[in-house]
Structure formats: structure tokens, C-alpha cells
Amino acid sequence: MFSIGDKIVYPMHGAGIIIAIEEKEILGEKAKYYIMKMPIGDMRVMVPVKNVEEIGIREIAGDDEIEQVFDVLKGRQTKMPQNWNRRYRLNMDKIKSGNIYEIASVVRNLMIRDNEKGLSTGERKMLNNAKQMLVSEIVLSKGIDQEETEKLIDDAINCPAV
């Protein structure tokens, strides 16, 4: 169980800080919720405490993991399906996993692809979402601001900013 002040990652949403644990009644059912404040966009998210493992909530990455994330970002583009649909599904599965290394690989591959060939609207949206998830976790882990984090990611991949 997490506590107020813990920094956690909510797959598909990004990293945030638990600012409260509240009991709420939703659709006639009372349950405890973590109230998360996200560092980007000043958004708040409610996460049902009982579903934490099922959802894949985890603690944010530490310094060693963040270093490995930058190693992933600096790596070569991995082979992806040529078919847009298959590529999109594969990348979406990686993002849904909540695994920071998988998300970093999606960001790297899509940024490189965008630089070389351009992206469809759907893939551009996917890239922006994946990048925001990565940025939110790095911001909380390293204590640096969003702009600096985005520059570090862009520099690691060595592509112009998206």
C-alpha cells in the first residue's frame, strides 16, 4: 500500500504524487482512492486502492533506472512492422505495460521514424502521449522541470524536438 507523498506511476497516465487517500462513493459503491497530482498539466487522478496491482501502479524509477532509460533513448531504432496497424498495436501494448523502458523505446522509435519519414496523426498522438508519460516520471525522479527533461530526451535521441 502506498502513502501520501509517495511518487507513483499510473500506466497510460504517467507519474504523480499521492496527495490524499479518500473514501468516495461512486455508483453506490464506497471505496478508498489514491488522489494523485500529476506534475504536468496540473491534473488530478483518482486510483482505486483495491485495483493497484491489477492496474500496474508502481513506484517511480530511481536514478539507476533513469540512466538506463537514457541508454534506451540513445539506442538504435528497433525493427518495427511496416504495417501501420500492427506497429500501432505493438507500441500501444508497450505503453500499456507501464514499463518505463518499453515506453522509452516507443518514444525513441517514433521520434526517429518521424524524423525520417513523418508520422500519421495517430502515431503522432501516441508519441506525444508516450513522451509525456516519460517526461512526468523523469521530472519527479530527477527533480528537474518539464522543459529541461524534454530537451534531455530530444538530445538523447538526437532528433529535432517534436
Side-chain angles (χ1 to χ4, degrees):
M1 180 140 162
F2 296 104
S3 305
I4 293 172
D6 285 352
K7 297 173 182 178
I8 61 173
V9 176
Y10 186 176
M12 296 298 295
H13 294 278
I17 301 170
I18 297 173
I19 57 169
I21 301 172
E22 299 177 0
E23 192 166 325
K24 302 244 184 222
E25 186 175 327
I26 297 179
L27 301 173
E29 191 178 317
K30 281 189 175 187
K32 277 191 170 184
Y33 290 86
Y34 292 123
I35 311 300
M36 274 177 70
K37 182 181 184 297
M38 310 305 266
I40 297 169
D42 202 31
M43 185 172 71
R44 293 175 197 265
V45 177
M46 288 181 12
V47 181
V49 171
K50 69 179 182 181
N51 295 358
V52 163
E53 282 188 34
E54 185 181 310
I55 294 169
I57 302 290
R58 62 173 173 78
E59 290 182 5
I60 65 166
D63 287 343
D64 291 345
E65 289 96 345
I66 297 298
E67 274 186 44
Q68 289 178 315
V69 164
F70 280 100
D71 289 342
V72 170
L73 292 171
K74 291 173 186 171
R76 290 191 172 305
Q77 181 178 12
T78 52
K79 190 166 170 53
M80 293 187 294
Q82 289 301 310
N83 178 288
W84 180 90
N85 248 348
R86 286 193 189 124
R87 191 170 58 242
Y88 187 88
R89 280 198 309 267
L90 179 72
N91 284 333
M92 187 55 76
D93 288 344
K94 288 180 176 184
I95 292 169
K96 284 180 181 175
S97 76
N99 180 309
I100 192 168
Y101 307 118
E102 295 285 349
I103 294 169
S105 75
V106 169
V107 169
R108 177 198 63 220
N109 288 344
L110 289 177
M111 284 182 70
I112 291 170
R113 185 173 184 85
D114 187 32
N115 200 36
E116 292 172 353
K117 300 178 183 175
L119 295 175
S120 67
T121 305
E123 282 185 308
R124 180 164 310 286
K125 185 176 181 198
M126 175 182 278
L127 170 57
N128 290 335
N129 290 340
K131 194 172 180 184
Q132 285 307 304
M133 285 184 256
L134 200 56
V135 166
S136 70
E137 188 160 359
I138 295 169
V139 162
L140 285 180
S141 183
K142 300 296 270 177
I144 55 179
D145 69 15
Q146 179 180 350
E147 204 171 277
E148 187 178 347
T149 301
E150 288 177 357
K151 183 175 178 353
L152 287 172
I153 290 170
D154 294 339
D155 289 349
I157 297 170
N158 203 15
C159 284
V162 175

